[in-house]
Amino acid sequence: MLLSKEMQDKIVSLLVENGLADAGLVKKTYNEVAKSGQPILAVLRSKGIATDDCVQHATAIVLNVPYIDLRKIKFNKEKLLIIPQDVAKRSRVVPLDEQNGQLFVAMLDNTNIQQIDYLSTLVKKPIRSMLTSEAGVENALAQYMADLKDVNKIAQQEESQKSGDSDAQTITQDSPISKALSTILENAVKSKASDIHIEPLEHSLVIRMRIDGVLRQTMELPKKIEASLVSRIKIMAKLKIDEHRIPQDGQFAVVVNGNTIDLRIATSPVVWGEQVVIRLLDKSGTSMDVEKMGMTGRALEDVIEGISRPNGMILTSGPTGSGKSTTLYALIKRIKSESINIVTLEDPVEYKMDGVNQIQINNDAGLTFASGLRSILRQDPDVVMVGEIRDGETANLAVQAALTGHLVFSTLHTNSAAGIMPRLLDMGIEPFLIASTLNTVIGQRLVRRVAERRETYQSTDMETKMIKEVVGGLLPKTAAEVPEISEKRGYGTLPLTTSKSFTLVKGVATDEAPGGYKGRAGLYETIAVDEDIQKLIVARATSGDIMKIAKMKGAVTMRQDGVLKALTGITTLEEVNRVASDLA
């Protein structure tokens, strides 16, 4: 509940005056929260100085709203139909009674106007709210579960009486729609999809899923279920179900096959209805190990050296969906320990990590990357991760953080690792500051991995020519050099550059491996910023000049990395050309 400091102080005074909280402990807690900035009421609850019931009751008195103890109420089963069980559980709201065309509800936070408006739209009645405690809500929800079978029977009877009613309330209780959404989500998780696109056409509803970075149509549904399915998703994501004119964003979590999946929802009006895009964040299926992600050889050495320093910047670059954030998570996991304080600024927080203080950006509340970075530098961090450097102000603050002894991780949208330096110059950062703070820069893309069921074939003349042009100088020239160079590169056994053709692989397409691919690997290029690179930065050299010197020092480009991965059976030349055709 969002309450002003003055309002919280009044609530605390009321608790102390009535002997519901120890005055000495309260005073001590005030001294603690003055340093941390945490809400005093939340700390009193967490420390057990005041119970949740007492805090909520005192809050109701100060706000001059009714308070109700739900622990002593036996609910009428028919009243449970007013608000669907999943909505009640997610919103922590319990329907009480209908009087004079109004619905009375008990809730934990009646200052949440958006939630009240949402409920009012859902039930099509004005909402009158009362405060209650967490224990009271749990008691009510337990009765929901106990009476679930009876509720379903009542719902079926009521649905048969309202056969012509297609309101949102009926939609939320429509079992076939729930099953349809569950089936879509289960298929997406099973297929390791990153996104679900629900797209309305003139006469049908198409479901497409982005699997290993490529969109594929997985099903086509009748047009008539579009409104029901979209409304069901909106309700779960706490969006306005009656708003169809503007885009909306929301989120919720589901449990599929025992794993909790975070879902990010984006709706937008299109010609034939309303499109919904669902981003799936499944932590259980993501490797947090840079080696398993495909980083190897010189690239891995440069990164490990960069993150081993006590300060400086490590920046990753690449297009949207290229795995930049996952790389940063993997690097943070690698250096995480009890001896250092790691603070992150993210939008959104995609994966929650124990031992890392993660902050969610909230632009509406004024918590931006820039303002958040100013704040966390006062929290004694050793390592700072900024989800993305979007403007000059954030870039300048990140550089200042690195200069003052912090290790800073972040991402930029550029096409290559070498493009990071000119991009920072464009943002107004002085060249000498960039040169003195950058440790390592990383460029990356994602390619699909060849499935386990595969076939081998010999490269065509055109493919052989391309391979030799791109990586001929990196391959061993004699059989005696194969073990040493293969170990140095870190890709496995490499073929001779003098070969007349090269053995390549392609996957066998199956239901589990569409197109013969399953899973993805990263293509990486890294540049360790040493004295020579620093001189180029100060001289405002182009990204091409920087990459030219880096290659002379042994750096492997993303395109070269991809071709070497194709030669060792990780991916195909077709995939490398698909994602890295614009790179040298």
Side-chain angles (χ1 to χ4, degrees), residues 133-187:
S133 66
E134 182 71 31
V137 171
E138 286 297 331
N139 176 67
L141 292 177
Q143 291 190 46
Y144 265 108
M145 297 302 295
D147 297 330
L148 190 56
K149 292 182 180 179
D150 293 330
V151 170
N152 285 336
K153 290 179 182 178
I154 296 170
Q156 291 171 4
Q157 294 170 1
E158 189 163 306
E159 186 175 356
S160 65
Q161 295 170 1
K162 299 181 179 180
S163 57
D165 186 1
S166 60
D167 291 345
Q169 182 178 345
T170 305
I171 288 168
T172 62
Q173 298 163 357
D174 194 325
S175 179
I177 294 300
S178 298
K179 289 181 179 178
L181 180 57
S182 295
T183 300
I184 292 170
L185 293 175
E186 286 172 5
N187 287 342

Side-chain angles (χ1 to χ4, degrees), residues 253-529:
V254 294
V255 178
V256 180
N257 298 328
N259 294 324
T260 299
I261 314 295
D262 289 328
L263 306 176
R264 305 276 187 262
I265 313 300
T267 69
S268 59
V270 293
V271 173
W272 299 114
E274 201 164 6
Q275 180 191 36
V276 180
V277 177
I278 304 175
R279 167 66 58 88
L280 293 88
L281 300 172
D282 182 5
K283 184 176 179 179
S284 64
T286 303
S287 171
M288 291 293 179
D289 189 310
V290 286
E291 286 96 331
K292 291 181 180 178
M293 290 158 56
M295 191 177 291
T296 186
R298 175 62 181 268
L300 183 60
E301 291 174 7
D302 288 344
V303 169
I304 290 176
E305 182 182 351
I307 66 177
S308 300
R309 298 180 187 176
N311 56 7
M313 296 176 67
I314 290 90
L315 301 181
T316 67
S317 68
T320 300
S322 60
K324 300 186 298 294
S325 296
T326 305
T327 296
L328 292 187
Y329 280 117
L331 297 180
I332 284 177
K333 179 184 176 185
R334 197 177 188 103
I335 65 171
K336 185 180 70 171
S337 75
E338 294 181 358
S339 62
I340 60 175
N341 178 24
I342 303 175
V343 185
T344 74
L345 278 169
E346 304 173 58
D347 184 23
V349 176
E350 296 186 6
Y351 302 106
K352 298 174 181 63
M353 297 183 70
D354 293 335
V356 177
N357 301 299
Q358 297 172 274
I359 300 173
Q360 169 73 55
I361 292 299
N362 186 342
N363 290 309
D364 293 337
L367 179 55
T368 63
F369 281 116
S371 64
L373 187 50
R374 284 196 193 90
S375 173
I376 64 178
L377 290 179
R378 296 191 291 270
Q379 297 176 20
D380 187 32
D382 298 290
V383 178
V384 176
M385 185 187 104
V386 182
E388 183 182 346
I389 294 178
R390 296 176 178 173
D391 51 50
E393 184 181 10
T394 308
N396 185 62
L397 288 167
V399 168
Q400 293 301 321
L403 284 172
T404 53
H406 302 89
L407 188 61
V408 179
F409 295 85
S410 193
T411 68
L412 275 172
H413 282 287
T414 64
N415 286 332
S416 64
I420 288 177
M421 283 73 93
R423 179 76 179 105
L424 290 174
L425 289 172
D426 291 341
M427 288 182 169
I429 308 301
E430 292 294 334
F432 72 92
L433 292 177
I434 300 172
S436 59
T437 55
L438 278 180
N439 292 352
T440 309
V441 291
I442 306 167
Q444 66 181 86
R445 305 279 175 95
L446 290 176
V447 291
R448 292 178 291 175
R449 290 179 181 268
V450 178
E452 290 185 8
R453 288 187 60 186
R454 55 181 62 191
E455 299 171 348
T456 60
Y457 70 98
Q458 294 302 118
S459 60
T460 64
D461 291 343
M462 185 177 295
E463 288 173 333
T464 301
K465 181 181 178 182
M466 186 270 280
I467 291 170
K468 290 186 176 183
E469 286 177 353
V470 176
V471 297
L474 303 179
L475 298 176
K477 295 180 176 59
T478 65
E481 293 179 329
V482 169
E484 180 184 352
I485 292 182
S486 295
E487 183 178 357
K488 177 183 176 182
R489 301 296 178 200
Y491 294 92
T493 303
L494 293 171
L496 297 177
T497 189
T498 53
S499 302
K500 293 184 178 180
S501 66
F502 298 94
T503 302
L504 301 172
V505 299
K506 59 182 178 180
V508 176
T510 63
D511 290 340
E512 292 186 354
Y517 298 99
K518 188 171 184 180
R520 287 193 285 179
L523 303 186
Y524 297 95
E525 65 183 22
T526 63
I527 300 175
V529 181

